Amino acid sequence: MKPNKIKAQWASGKPVLNGWLSIANAFTAEILSEQGYDSITIDLQHGVIGYQEAVGMLQAMRSSDVTPLIRVPWLDPAAIMRALDAGAYGVICPMINNRAEAAKLVSYVRYPPDGTRSLGPTRANFSAGSNYAAEADGEILCFAMIETAEAFRNLDDIVSTPGLDGVYIGPADLTLGLTGKRHPVGFDREEPEMLEAIHAILAKAHQAGIRAALHCGSPAYAAKAVGWGFDLVTLPNDVRLLANAASASVADARRLIAAQG
């Protein structure tokens, strides 16, 4: 089986820059996969992407050097196992609130005797290479999202779950969960209480010997998070990149036209 390049990068002490796909388009996936990201996640929770479209996007990314991940819609064994069978090298699962849910997540990702994953890596047999069934448990990454008040209360239990590779902070939902609607919704948190929570999750993960990832809204915040010690940071997704570039292009054109008198 082809090795997981995220694990190799971590072993060499380097952080991982993760891209994010929410648009259901193989060409978009192909374009982003050639831009220098270490990994790219296909979002099946909040993006407008279905399973068959995700398979096509994975195929489009295959020629690049990027490591493919999938955020699954929920803690659902069928969705998790199909994402892995399609060739994802890791899953990010939303709304993991306690150790029991984290243990279920791990079990859906690992083959027996370490888990309950059903054997049938239809595409992964080809995209990930030979001997997949024997080697997948050592290569596939399993991330539990920490994004609720309940998860934050149960953080010690979650990070110590055997077989869990890391926790992934969803800062927008975590802010809603911990503070309600006192603060604007968004990713790059600057409120002291939220920074304290983010740093606490980072510290607890590393104390437990697992990785910590953070969803970021800007390159500047991602760089700052790497400075704090995060192992993986997610940069703005395809939707935001397209909107920002288009908006800037229109604004520049209007400014230049106006300057002509």
Side-chain angles (χ1 to χ4, degrees), residues 189-202:
R189 310 314 309 185
E190 296 291 354
E191 304 84 6
E193 60 190 317
M194 290 311 304
L195 289 174
E196 182 178 351
I198 288 169
H199 282 277
I201 296 169
L202 171 64

Side-chain angles (χ1 to χ4, degrees), residues 245-257:
S247 177
S249 179
V250 171
D252 284 348
R254 294 193 185 282
R255 176 179 56 78
L256 293 168
I257 291 168

Side-chain angles (χ1 to χ4, degrees), residues 25-86:
N25 189 278
F27 188 32
T28 302
E30 186 177 31
I31 292 170
L32 258 68
S33 72
E34 295 292 343
Q35 303 312 311
Y37 295 98
D38 300 309
S39 62
I40 293 181
T41 300
I42 298 173
D43 187 4
L44 298 185
Q45 184 193 17
H46 289 308
V48 293
I49 304 171
Y51 178 75
Q52 191 61 52
E53 294 159 331
V55 172
M57 294 165 73
L58 289 167
Q59 291 172 318
M61 293 160 58
R62 186 179 176 186
S63 64
S64 74
D65 201 39
V66 74
T67 300
L69 305 173
I70 287 181
R71 176 163 73 171
V72 294
W74 210 251
L75 181 59
D76 171 40
I80 291 168
M81 293 181 200
R82 292 188 83 197
L84 295 175
D85 289 346

